[in-house]
Amino acid sequence: MWNKKEPDSLTSMQPGDVLVSHGSAVTAHEISIVPDAPHTAAATHDAAVSDGCAEAEELGVDAWLTEDQTHVVKIASNR
């Protein structure tokens, strides 16, 4: 479930937050800890969102989703 309807910019994230990103139609969704490079991938959007939210909850941070590498939407808030 989305917490916000309007996207934020990538600068809205804090170090340590989880980012679920999807760069292109042929690339799986990637999961990273901001500001690090992706550390895992998921084959589907639903799996990536679920995995990203679970990881953010475990770490006590927020999770974000980007489909265009410019705008993000908060998908979990754990701070």
Side-chain angles (χ1 to χ4, degrees):
M1 170 160 267
W2 304 113
N3 292 336
K4 296 181 107 180
K5 295 198 189 264
E6 295 298 320
D8 289 313
S9 71
L10 291 174
T11 59
S12 301
M13 298 180 300
Q14 296 182 32
D17 283 353
V18 174
L19 176 63
V20 177
S21 60
H22 186 238
S24 71
V26 296
T27 304
H29 283 73
E30 298 175 323
I31 302 171
S32 60
I33 305 293
V34 176
D36 298 331
H39 61 274
T40 191
T44 67
H45 172 86
D46 290 344
V49 168
S50 178
D51 292 352
C53 288
E55 188 169 344
E57 182 176 14
E58 182 178 313
L59 296 171
V61 298
D62 297 335
W64 301 82
L65 172 69
T66 182
E67 298 285 344
D68 64 6
Q69 307 302 312
T70 302
H71 300 94
V72 293
V73 175
K74 188 181 287 189
I75 56 175
S77 183
N78 298 296
R79 289 191 185 274

